[in-house]
Amino acid sequence: MPAKTDHDARRRDVSAAVWKVVAADGFGGLTLRAVAAAMGGSTGLVTHYFPSKQALVLHALEVAEQRTQALVPDTTDLRTALIAVLPLTAETTELNRVWVSSWDVALADPQLAALEQARYRRWRTRLKPLVIQAQNDGDLITGDAMDLAAGLAAFTHGLVVQALVDPRTFGRKRLELLLDAHLTALRPRR
Amino acid sequence: MPAKTDHDARRRDVSAAVWKVVAADGFGGLTLRAVAAAMGGSTGLVTHYFPSKQALVLHALEVAEQRTQALVPDTTDLRTALIAVLPLTAETTELNRVWVSSWDVALADPQLAALEQARYRRWRTRLKPLVIQAQNDGDLITGDAMDLAAGLAAFTHGLVVQALVDPRTFGRKRLELLLDAHLTALRPRR
């Protein structure tokens, strides 16, 4: 069915343009005109697939979520799970830049805020058993596992923001050293 | 000089409207039209004082910086300095919401990125002597003071983001408990 195929192919083109724009200019730069320009098409073509700014934003967040899920390591190791979040590659730097940028739209829109709230809750819930495992292995101090998961998520995302804002000060090696020093500081000392 | 007075008074009105808009809708919602609507004036009046979107953004960041500086506690105590950053009051919640929102525009604009980079460097530099003091007092583990300052800034801002996104999960009491538990975990254990 060529028509269907054309439709799917074109939607993929528009989707790629949406991602290109948000990865380069953030959600503040995500407009129908910018997406059309990024794919050398018309705004009419873009609105055919994404009828509003809100639809563009939701699609960009969907793509970000898909790309993020694809990078979540299948691991029971806390360090491995946290290292995977840091902007140590071009791909994770781009993803983090999109997520940090998304907080502006999320805090201004109840529907988007609920999505981000659920995303954070899923992340802390995914970290919790890794925290408990690390505690059982004697690698992490005792304490409420969800509180520790929230604190480790906070440390990691706070480091992400500083690295995106100041990549020369927070290069790949220093980010790994800072995370490792933090996990060492949280080890039970005997 | 009534003319001068009128000018100053009106500029204060426009400035107040800029802050009202950015505090409510973030930088994504900061437009000449929104500012004009917030003060019941014309976009022409707004452009008379702030001729472009960029001028509005820079002014909002200036106001945020002034309000932030006014809240920086004159203290040598690390906990006091970090507690002051958390969204524990309506004022600090509003300020944090504006700063987190500003990362979208900062990451998309080299001039704004340089300002945010300098702001983070000033914060870490201000925390460093407090870190050293805490180490000398035996309240904080040894280690590079600037690395510890970066880590404490990361933990604090990461907690700020989770609290803004999920205020019910991260109420005032829990934020203080999480920071105190974190500082306790970073104490030298003997």
Side-chain angles (χ1 to χ4, degrees):
Chain A
M1 304 184 305
K4 178 87 171 73
T5 312
D6 293 351
H7 178 282
D8 293 350
R10 189 157 301 143
R11 192 182 192 286
R12 277 195 299 276
D13 293 343
V14 179
S15 175
V18 169
W19 185 256
K20 187 177 172 185
V21 169
V22 80
D25 302 323
F27 285 86
L30 184 59
T31 62
L32 293 166
R33 193 178 294 113
V35 173
M39 67 185 297
S42 67
T43 56
L45 172 62
V46 178
T47 51
H48 177 69
Y49 294 90
F50 303 105
S52 65
K53 165 74 186 259
Q54 178 79 338
L56 285 178
V57 169
L58 284 169
H59 182 68
L61 292 170
E62 281 166 19
V63 175
E65 184 62 32
Q66 290 161 10
R67 287 175 176 247
T68 301
Q69 288 306 322
L71 291 176
V72 172
D74 178 20
T75 180
T76 58
D77 177 57
L78 186 59
R79 179 184 183 275
T80 305
L82 296 175
I83 278 283
V85 175
L86 293 176
L88 303 180
T89 68
E91 188 176 13
T92 51
T93 301
E94 182 178 85
L95 266 175
N96 275 303
R97 185 250 187 281
V98 170
W99 284 125
V100 170
S101 161
S102 77
W103 292 332
D104 181 34
V105 286
L107 292 173
D109 180 310
Q111 179 190 4
L112 301 181
L115 290 174
E116 183 62 4
Q117 192 177 93
R119 206 175 70 86
Y120 257 116
R121 288 178 181 182
R122 285 197 303 274
W123 186 26
R124 294 189 297 261
T125 302
R126 201 166 61 238
L127 287 176
K128 185 180 177 182
L130 280 54
V131 164
I132 292 169
Q133 182 65 52
Q135 289 175 316
N136 294 341
D137 294 345
D139 295 330
L140 188 68
I141 56 173
T142 55
D144 180 85
M146 199 51 118
D147 283 355
L148 282 164
L152 288 163
F155 177 86
T156 307
H157 263 184
L159 213 50
V160 164
V161 173
Q162 290 181 75
L164 292 178
V165 167
D166 197 344
R168 277 177 296 114
T169 301
F170 294 92
R172 176 188 174 125
K173 180 171 281 179
R174 187 170 181 218
L175 288 176
E176 289 192 21
L177 287 173
L178 286 169
L179 178 60
D180 286 335
H182 188 63
L183 291 174
T184 300
L186 296 183
R187 290 179 69 89
R189 271 154 270 167
R190 298 186 187 80
Chain B
M1 304 182 309
K4 178 86 172 74
T5 312
D6 293 352
H7 178 284
D8 293 350
R10 191 159 299 145
R11 192 181 193 285
R12 276 195 298 277
D13 294 343
V14 179
S15 175
V18 169
W19 184 256
K20 188 177 171 186
V21 169
V22 81
D25 301 325
F27 285 85
L30 183 60
T31 62
L32 293 167
R33 192 178 296 111
V35 174
M39 68 185 295
S42 67
T43 56
L45 172 62
V46 178
T47 51
H48 177 69
Y49 295 90
F50 303 106
S52 66
K53 164 76 186 253
Q54 178 78 341
L56 284 178
V57 169
L58 284 169
H59 181 68
L61 291 170
E62 282 164 20
V63 175
E65 183 62 32
Q66 289 161 11
R67 288 174 176 247
T68 301
Q69 288 306 321
L71 291 177
V72 172
D74 177 22
T75 181
T76 59
D77 177 57
L78 186 57
R79 178 187 185 272
T80 304
L82 296 175
I83 278 282
V85 176
L86 293 177
L88 303 182
T89 68
E91 189 175 13
T92 51
T93 300
E94 182 178 84
L95 266 175
N96 274 304
R97 185 248 186 282
V98 169
W99 284 124
V100 170
S101 162
S102 77
W103 293 330
D104 181 34
V105 288
L107 292 173
D109 180 310
Q111 177 190 4
L112 301 182
L115 289 174
E116 182 63 4
Q117 194 177 93
R119 205 174 71 85
Y120 257 116
R121 289 179 180 181
R122 284 196 302 274
W123 186 25
R124 293 189 298 261
T125 303
R126 201 167 61 237
L127 287 175
K128 185 180 177 183
L130 279 53
V131 164
I132 293 169
Q133 182 64 50
Q135 289 175 316
N136 293 341
D137 294 344
D139 295 331
L140 189 67
I141 56 173
T142 56
D144 180 86
M146 199 51 117
D147 283 355
L148 282 166
L152 287 164
F155 177 86
T156 307
H157 263 184
L159 214 49
V160 164
V161 173
Q162 290 181 75
L164 292 178
V165 167
D166 197 344
R168 275 178 297 110
T169 301
F170 295 93
R172 176 188 174 124
K173 181 171 279 177
R174 186 169 182 218
L175 288 176
E176 289 193 18
L177 287 174
L178 287 169
L179 177 61
D180 286 334
H182 188 64
L183 291 174
T184 300
L186 296 182
R187 291 179 70 90
R189 272 154 269 166
R190 301 189 184 79

